[in-house]
Amino acid sequence: MALPQGTTGSTMPRRQLGRHLRDLRNRARMTTRTAAQQLEWSEAKIWRIETGQTSLRSLDVEAMCKVYGAPSDLIGPLTALARETKARGWWTAYGDVIAEGFEVYIGLEEAASRLSTYENELVPGLLQTEAYTRAMLAAARPDMSASEIDRRVQLRMARQALVTRVDAPLQLDAVISESVLWRRIGGAEVAAGQLAHLRQMCDLPNVRIRVVPPDSGYHEGMDSGRFVMLEFPELRVGEQPEPPVVYVEAFTGPVYLDKENDIDRYRRAFASLGVVAVDARDGIEAARESCAV
């Protein structure tokens, strides 16, 4: 399934606007509580705005700029950015099967230029085959209807177009535990198809797949667990790119980290994984041979 080109939706405008408004509030030396009181909003609303979780009306931006004492020449660009937060991404068509909070991740993923991921249990979503995804969903959610599984599979396959698109394909750097290659989600036939797909993906110039051997010893991935780090291009010439984001899929819901010290810790974790990880090709071939037995 082809992913529509150039449909980044409102995710990046929301994040940009939220970051600008947070900076204005901090410069005004105003807490979220004080800001919420002056705007007659809840603190939760301020937090959702500043973290890019919600769109905004131009009138709301003007009100915030007034409370924060923003320079007059900044109000126009920020209200224009607010209008961009109303855009809808292609993934909104799958709103019925997107878990709460995950639409933010899809928007970030679609806008990213580079994605670095560590996975210790499953094949990363962008590298899964349709059969693997279907088998994994059926096993994880036996109560899920066949139609819902179909929709979730379609959504995942649509996301994968980021890796194979002709125009600026996503740079994907995946490190996975070698044990993932031997885990037979869906049985031998599904596993064989998934391994063959991984082997093909290894040959793409924008994809790097490495595995962590079982005899690797300590690495920081043991402490970090699975995570995804997304990095973004500059949206306009001469403009600083959006800061990186680390996505952690917790059992109770998604967590998004963008503070500099958090990003640095995950960078170090990924670098530590890189020290012990090896090219995936040999491990994939060994696992494929076991499927043929």
Side-chain angles (χ1 to χ4, degrees):
M1 179 181 294
L3 188 152
Q5 296 295 310
T7 53
T8 58
S10 62
T11 304
M12 297 313 290
R14 288 201 315 260
R15 278 180 53 80
Q16 284 184 302
L17 182 57
R19 182 163 48 84
H20 286 306
L21 292 171
R22 182 181 61 204
D23 289 345
L24 285 173
R25 178 179 60 76
N26 287 334
R27 288 175 192 165
R29 297 183 179 180
M30 192 176 295
T31 64
T32 54
R33 175 174 294 184
T34 301
Q37 288 173 344
Q38 293 202 28
L39 290 160
E40 297 184 355
W41 296 344
S42 66
E43 286 187 69
K45 180 174 179 177
I46 300 290
W47 178 82
R48 287 196 300 271
I49 290 170
E50 292 185 354
T51 55
Q53 304 285 321
T54 186
S55 58
L56 274 178
R57 300 179 306 166
S58 298
L59 289 175
D60 291 335
V61 172
E62 289 177 4
M64 296 177 80
C65 286
K66 182 177 180 180
V67 166
Y68 299 157
S72 58
D73 60 351
L74 193 59
I75 297 175
L78 290 183
T79 54
L81 198 54
R83 287 190 286 273
E84 292 184 40
T85 68
K86 302 293 185 181
R88 291 168 60 86
W90 62 265
W91 55 90
T92 58
Y94 294 92
D96 56 317
V97 292
I98 295 177
E100 183 178 357
F102 191 64
E103 76 283 352
V104 174
Y105 175 80
I106 298 177
L108 293 173
E109 181 183 73
E110 205 265 343
S113 57
R114 182 177 182 84
L115 188 152
S116 304
T117 181
Y118 170 59
E119 177 58 72
N120 55 4
E121 297 294 343
L122 297 168
V123 172
L126 292 180
L127 297 172
Q128 292 178 8
T129 63
E130 181 176 339
Y132 182 99
T133 300
R134 190 177 299 279
M136 185 269 295
L137 289 173
R141 296 282 300 275
D143 58 331
M144 191 180 294
S145 68
S147 61
E148 184 175 351
I149 289 177
D150 286 343
R151 292 277 289 159
R152 288 176 181 267
V153 170
Q154 290 168 12
L155 172 61
R156 185 155 299 180
M157 296 303 104
R159 286 169 50 206
Q160 293 181 2
L162 295 168
V163 181
T164 55
R165 65 189 176 193
V166 175
D167 184 22
L170 179 70
Q171 298 294 312
L172 176 60
D173 191 351
V175 176
I176 62 179
S177 171
E178 188 171 336
S179 62
V180 171
L181 303 179
W182 295 83
R183 184 166 293 123
R184 295 193 176 183
I185 302 294
E189 185 177 352
V190 172
Q194 177 62 71
L195 290 166
H197 178 65
L198 285 175
R199 181 61 186 84
Q200 291 174 350
M201 297 298 285
C202 285
D203 292 333
L204 292 181
N206 58 307
V207 175
R208 185 184 190 191
I209 305 175
R210 291 172 288 171
V211 296
V212 178
D215 61 353
S216 63
Y218 173 79
H219 55 80
E220 289 193 35
M222 294 176 176
D223 294 327
S224 70
R226 55 197 297 219
F227 65 89
V228 179
M229 182 162 58
L230 305 113
E231 298 174 83
F232 308 97
E234 58 181 35
L235 298 178
R236 299 175 182 83
V237 176
E239 186 176 73
Q240 287 293 315
E242 277 294 294
V245 177
V246 168
Y247 169 78
V248 179
E249 191 172 317
F251 189 60
T252 54
V255 177
Y256 299 94
L257 305 170
D258 60 3
K259 292 182 179 178
E260 189 172 346
N261 60 331
D262 290 330
I263 300 300
D264 287 343
R265 289 186 66 182
Y266 279 94
R267 282 194 193 281
R268 289 196 299 271
F270 200 73
S272 174
L273 286 160
V275 171
V276 298
V278 298
D279 187 90
R281 290 174 175 85
D282 288 344
I284 291 171
E285 290 302 330
R288 286 179 71 181
E289 289 177 10
S290 75
C291 291
V293 174

